[in-house]
Amino acid sequence: MNKPIVRITWNDASDTLDPWVSEEELKKFTSSTALVVSIGYLADKNRSYVTIAGDWQEDLKIWGRVTKIPKKMVVSIEEIPLPHPVAPPIDTLEH
């Protein structure tokens, strides 16, 4: 698996906590943003979405903790450079 690790800043959709809100609360809610920063493997991307994953299981070739973000909600994507060489698996490290 050769996928970059990225930091995505994006505007999340959000709900009001209360089921009923006043006009004043509605205007305040509408003008606020829910800016989120997510970090993970850039698992996939297409014209509409960016998909990141927090985990990769090498033996089974499966992704874990997958998040699909609509591209229109993305503010920025930055690749996080890894130090080279990558550290060996933890079970090979001396304790």
Side-chain angles (χ1 to χ4, degrees), residues 61-77:
K61 307 286 191 240
I62 58 174
W63 296 102
R65 296 185 295 137
V66 177
T67 302
K68 179 173 83 171
I69 305 166
K71 278 192 171 177
K72 291 190 178 210
M73 297 171 95
V74 172
V75 175
S76 66
I77 301 175

Side-chain angles (χ1 to χ4, degrees), residues 74-85:
V74 172
V75 175
S76 66
I77 301 175
E78 304 165 57
E79 187 170 335
I80 298 173
L82 294 176
H84 293 284

Side-chain angles (χ1 to χ4, degrees), residues 11-26:
N11 288 303
D12 196 3
S14 56
D15 296 333
T16 61
L17 296 177
D18 297 317
W20 296 95
V21 295
S22 68
E23 276 293 319
E24 183 179 318
E25 292 168 320
L26 177 69

Side-chain angles (χ1 to χ4, degrees), residues 25 31 38 41 45 49 62 71 80 88:
E25 292 168 320
S31 65
S38 298
Y41 292 101
K45 63 181 176 178
Y49 295 96
I62 58 174
K71 278 192 171 177
I80 298 173

